[in-house]
Amino acid sequence: MKKVLFIDRDGTMIKETADEQIDAFEKMIFYPKAFTYLGKIAKELDYELVMITNQDGLGTDSFPEDTFWPVHNFIIKSFENEGVTFNKVFLDRTFPHENADTRKPGTGLLTEYFSKEYDLSNSFVIGDRLTDMELAKNLGSQGIFINDETNLGTGEITVDRGALNDIIALENNDWERIYEFLKLKDRVSEISRKTNETDIYIKLNLDGTGISNIDTGLAFFDHMLDQLARHGQMDLDITVKGDLDVDEHHTIEDTAIALGEVFAMALGNKLGIERYGFCLPMDDCLAQVAIDFGGRNWLVWETGFKREMIGKLPTEMFQHFFKSFTDGAKSNLNIKAEGQNEHHKIEAIFKAFAKAIKMAVKRDVEKMVLPSTKGIL
């Protein structure tokens, strides 16, 4: 299925004017970086490019066509010269425009995209007006909302983020940021795993900000998983209903397996990741965690605990947690820790684990290659 970028013209590719009519060459100003990064989008990413623009009253005495088309055609040709070719250009000139389905946010010009040939849910509308974001909603697509404060035609625009789902708002018109966002879209995955012993739901955003909502029924385990989200700067939702009336074993083991699997799903093809990743102190303790998301599971565990329990968790279960994670994530883990305080020791391990993951999953937009000589991870 084809993905599409539906791109507005005025206020998005070229700067808007006070009269909202680009009808003279001296009024036309391209946005900085538009050629460079739209060119990279066209070359590197798998989107069809579609321009859709409202040109209210085009063809009337106040907006004659003979002043519009030379400028418009120059814009199209200028982008073509930089490798940016629009598959289609849709222009609505409806005036007056009340209830016109062909005018954004109406979808009357875009009916051909409502077919099995197109993946609208993973397509984007890029624009500087609320109507562009409403168009995204009407298409069932996502929106990238950009607003340049020097854009004289837009005035004060606010986006009702509650009413419009899947809207990404950028503070200014920066095509470099748009390119990076499209190339490095958030890696989000979720999993539901139900057995006779546990019922688990996990949602992970590797590119989040550290927000967590965790309930496993084991308070200290929740605390450790929260460390993973906070220090790894990933968003993590975990809900577990386990047979805690038996003991904690199945809850911890199955959560680790599902967590590893959701990491493997979120990493996807692993293009551009660092792959390897931490050593940190916590009071009397020093924890070292090295990880490799290389596609093979292995655990080295060099630590010991003098206490049988931390909170309500048996200390023997921590090694089992990390072994189960490596099985699900198909990763190597080498964990070493030393110190006197057992709480500090295991917390330092989880924090170092989070930092190691953060390092390993980091991507470089300019080096989206597989970190392997084998050609597969």
Side-chain angles (χ1 to χ4, degrees), residues 3 14 16 18 20 24 55 66 103-104 106 114 144 162-164 195 232 241-242 245 263 310 315 352 356 365:
K3 297 182 297 182
I14 58 175
E16 188 77 85
E20 301 184 359
Q55 298 294 329
D66 60 355
R103 185 182 189 276
K104 290 185 295 183
F114 291 98
I144 298 177
L164 299 174
T195 70
K241 295 179 180 178
D245 55 320
F263 264 90
I310 300 178
T315 52
V365 69

Side-chain angles (χ1 to χ4, degrees), residues 53-58 90-95 97 100 102-104 109:
T53 175
N54 291 339
Q55 298 294 329
D56 297 347
L58 178 61
F90 296 100
L91 187 154
D92 181 75
R93 62 177 72 199
T94 307
F95 187 81
H97 49 69
T102 56
R103 185 182 189 276
K104 290 185 295 183
L109 294 175

Side-chain angles (χ1 to χ4, degrees), residues 98-278:
E98 288 81 2
N99 302 318
D101 187 49
T102 56
R103 185 182 189 276
K104 290 185 295 183
T107 61
L109 294 175
L110 305 174
T111 55
E112 64 189 88
Y113 297 97
F114 291 98
S115 73
K116 294 181 179 179
E117 186 178 355
Y118 290 97
D119 180 5
L120 290 179
S121 64
N122 286 305
S123 297
F124 289 85
V125 177
I126 304 175
D128 68 316
R129 291 176 178 266
L130 184 58
T131 51
D132 295 308
M133 301 303 98
E134 291 172 338
L135 174 63
K137 180 182 178 182
N138 293 339
L139 288 169
S141 299
Q142 302 173 66
I144 298 177
F145 177 76
I146 55 181
N147 187 15
D148 183 351
E149 292 181 358
T150 65
N151 186 335
L152 302 177
T154 61
E156 292 296 324
I157 295 179
T158 58
V159 176
D160 183 354
R161 298 289 295 275
L164 299 174
N165 296 322
D166 300 318
I167 301 302
I168 295 87
L170 301 180
E171 292 180 359
N172 53 54
N173 189 319
D174 187 338
W175 277 97
E176 182 176 4
R177 291 180 64 198
I178 295 171
Y179 161 72
E180 289 181 355
F181 170 79
L182 291 172
K183 191 161 186 176
L184 301 181
K185 287 186 296 183
D186 286 359
R187 292 164 292 180
V188 179
S189 62
E190 58 185 328
I191 191 171
S192 295
R193 187 180 190 274
K194 188 172 184 178
T195 70
N196 291 332
E197 298 162 342
T198 57
D199 187 354
I200 298 172
Y201 170 78
I202 300 177
K203 183 174 182 180
L204 168 70
N205 179 357
L206 278 180
D207 304 293
T209 58
I211 299 171
S212 66
N213 182 18
I214 298 170
D215 181 10
T216 67
L218 296 166
F220 187 74
F221 191 36
D222 293 353
H223 180 48
M224 292 300 100
L225 293 171
D226 181 61
Q227 302 298 322
L228 179 61
R230 297 293 178 90
H231 295 283
Q233 290 187 316
M234 62 191 80
D235 296 342
L236 190 59
D237 292 332
I238 301 179
T239 303
V240 183
K241 295 179 180 178
D243 55 356
L244 295 178
D245 55 320
V246 177
D247 69 7
E248 69 294 316
H249 186 105
H250 297 139
T251 292
I252 296 173
E253 177 184 46
D254 291 3
T255 299
I257 293 171
L259 186 62
E261 290 176 349
V262 85
F263 264 90
M265 292 161 56
L267 283 169
N269 60 22
K270 303 180 184 178
L271 289 177
I273 68 168
E274 293 293 333
R275 178 176 169 181
Y276 307 103
F278 205 82

Side-chain angles (χ1 to χ4, degrees), residues 1 25 36 42 72 99 158 178 218 221 226 334 341 348 377:
M1 298 174 70
F25 285 100
T36 299
H72 177 77
N99 302 318
T158 58
I178 295 171
L218 296 166
F221 191 36
D226 181 61
N334 189 304
N341 186 289
L377 284 179

